[in-house]
Amino acid sequence: MAAEKKALLPYGVDPSAPPIQVTYTAEWDGHLAGKARDTITARAEEIKTDYEDLTELAKDTEFVNSIEKRFEVQVGKDYYVYESKQSGLFLSIIAPHEWTPTTQPKDYRGWFRLSPDGTWIRNPS
């Protein structure tokens, strides 16, 4: 490299050149801090959502497990929860649309599926 071009460079190219001084690092530090803050906030929101989902899963599992079952439930099958005046809450394999108008229980409480880990997952209804 020609000596004329070396003089135009913003950094030293010889071992005897003065050390490079970094300026304006506050802007870069602020950028990094903002990026870290955004990452942590996003992860905290994910954890909050996961916690809310887990809480709902626990409530649904406790709800369905508290119902007396008169048959053996199977993993992966759909079950429906109803409430009648005579028997209270009960679990059924009959979907709401499969009942006849005279036999349909008054209150439909939800559609659930038993998962392999023993939790009851509420299906959208």
Side-chain angles (χ1 to χ4, degrees), residues 31-51:
H31 169 73
L32 287 178
K35 189 175 178 181
R37 183 179 49 253
D38 293 346
T39 301
I40 291 169
T41 302
R43 184 65 182 121
E45 287 298 319
E46 288 175 17
I47 291 169
K48 181 181 176 186
T49 302
D50 289 348
Y51 175 77

Side-chain angles (χ1 to χ4, degrees), residues 21-92:
Q21 299 293 325
V22 180
T23 57
Y24 304 112
T25 59
E27 290 176 12
W28 178 248
D29 291 343
H31 169 73
L32 287 178
K35 189 175 178 181
R37 183 179 49 253
D38 293 346
T39 301
I40 291 169
T41 302
R43 184 65 182 121
E45 287 298 319
E46 288 175 17
I47 291 169
K48 181 181 176 186
T49 302
D50 289 348
Y51 175 77
E52 290 168 354
D53 292 346
L54 188 59
T55 300
E56 285 301 312
L57 179 64
K59 287 179 184 177
D60 289 342
T61 299
E62 186 176 344
F63 171 68
V64 177
N65 281 338
S66 70
I67 299 170
E68 181 183 352
K69 295 158 194 70
R70 296 183 180 163
F71 54 88
E72 185 177 341
V73 293
Q74 296 177 356
V75 171
K77 300 283 183 180
D78 291 335
Y79 297 95
Y80 306 89
V81 177
Y82 299 97
E83 186 170 7
S84 70
K85 291 180 182 177
Q86 298 87 354
S87 60
L89 290 172
F90 66 94
L91 198 63
S92 174

